[in-house]
Amino acid sequence: MNPAPSPGARNSATLPTARRLILGSTSPYRRELLQRLQIPFEVASPAVDETPLPGEAPVALARRLALAKAHAVAAAFPDAVVIGSDQVADLNGQALGKPGNHANAVAQLRQMSGQSVVFQTAVAVVCLQSRFEQTDLAAVKVQFRALGDEEIENYLQAEQPYDCAGSAKSEGLGITLLASIENDDPTALVGLPLIRTCRMIQAAGIPLLPARKDQP
């Protein structure tokens, strides 16, 4: 069973939501993104094996893991609305996940140099008590510049993005590695597509813009 969720972002100016909202993720990037909504939420770690299945396509992998993470946390907190998310970099059908270390990050960036990569970011929202379940996916097409080995090394030494799918932080220095970005959900590349997330948690019963206590 997952440990009790830790506080994520609690805005004292807002009234409590109808249900608890829990982010089923240990990612600091997703936590920061969800804080932008100014909705009280908690954080719990999902115990999910992220190993791809044999022959599993990047889109299928991202969707499966997002839903698995949401369900893993929802099993411990069935009355809560739980968000799960996962991102997989899709390079010509090959799934690239988090590099985990410097050598893997170098290899990934060499592979993506001069290439078009689609970052598949899936989000799932689950509430077991109300039998609510929705999933969605935001695809972000990223064109990488042709990268030299010195550029790759300098970037990795500066930002060390070893916990990011595709070995680059677009919200940071990683933007210098890119030629273009095409998407319809601006935060998807960072790790959580907020437009889709807002639509889904609202459907699950979480008010997006609750009345504030300081209003007359």
Side-chain angles (χ1 to χ4, degrees):
M1 181 174 177
N2 291 303
S6 59
R10 294 184 176 277
N11 185 345
S12 61
T14 59
L15 295 173
T17 56
R19 290 187 180 273
R20 296 167 72 186
L21 179 64
I22 300 178
L23 175 63
S25 174
T26 57
S27 166
Y29 314 112
R30 293 190 177 106
R31 180 170 177 162
E32 184 278 330
L33 289 172
L34 194 57
Q35 286 174 345
R36 297 185 189 183
L37 303 184
Q38 300 183 36
I39 297 172
F41 72 92
E42 300 162 84
V43 175
S45 175
V48 172
D49 182 357
E50 299 189 24
T51 304
L53 300 176
E56 190 171 28
V59 169
L61 175 61
R63 285 188 181 274
R64 178 176 64 83
L65 291 182
L67 190 58
K69 291 175 182 179
H71 272 285
V73 174
F77 309 101
D79 62 329
V81 173
V82 180
I83 301 169
S85 186
D86 192 77
Q87 184 179 81
V88 177
D90 181 350
L91 176 60
N92 300 320
Q94 177 187 359
L96 302 178
K98 300 171 185 175
N101 59 50
H102 185 83
N104 289 341
V106 169
Q108 282 193 356
L109 289 176
R110 283 176 175 169
Q111 280 184 281
M112 296 186 295
S113 174
Q115 299 294 311
S116 178
V117 181
V118 180
F119 285 80
Q120 308 285 2
T121 305
V123 60
V125 174
V126 170
C127 179
L128 295 183
Q129 189 176 77
S130 65
R131 298 183 179 181
F132 181 91
E133 179 179 303
Q134 284 189 6
T135 62
D136 206 342
L137 184 128
V140 183
K141 185 178 180 181
V142 174
Q143 179 67 43
F144 279 79
R145 296 190 297 105
L147 305 173
D149 285 348
E150 184 176 0
E151 283 185 304
I152 290 173
E153 185 64 28
N154 290 346
Y155 168 67
L156 293 177
Q157 291 293 343
E159 200 151 59
Q160 301 183 11
Y162 307 136
D163 60 346
C164 298
S167 305
K169 295 181 182 179
S170 63
E171 71 276 23
L173 191 59
I175 199 71
T176 64
L177 308 179
L178 310 182
S180 64
I181 299 174
E182 298 176 25
N183 71 346
D184 64 359
D185 205 331
T187 59
L189 189 54
V190 183
L192 186 66
L194 285 182
I195 293 175
R196 287 166 170 79
T197 300
C198 283
R199 181 176 67 245
M200 294 162 68
I201 64 172
Q202 185 178 46
I206 302 294
L208 295 181
L209 293 167
R212 297 179 178 269
K213 290 181 179 180
D214 56 359
Q215 287 182 338

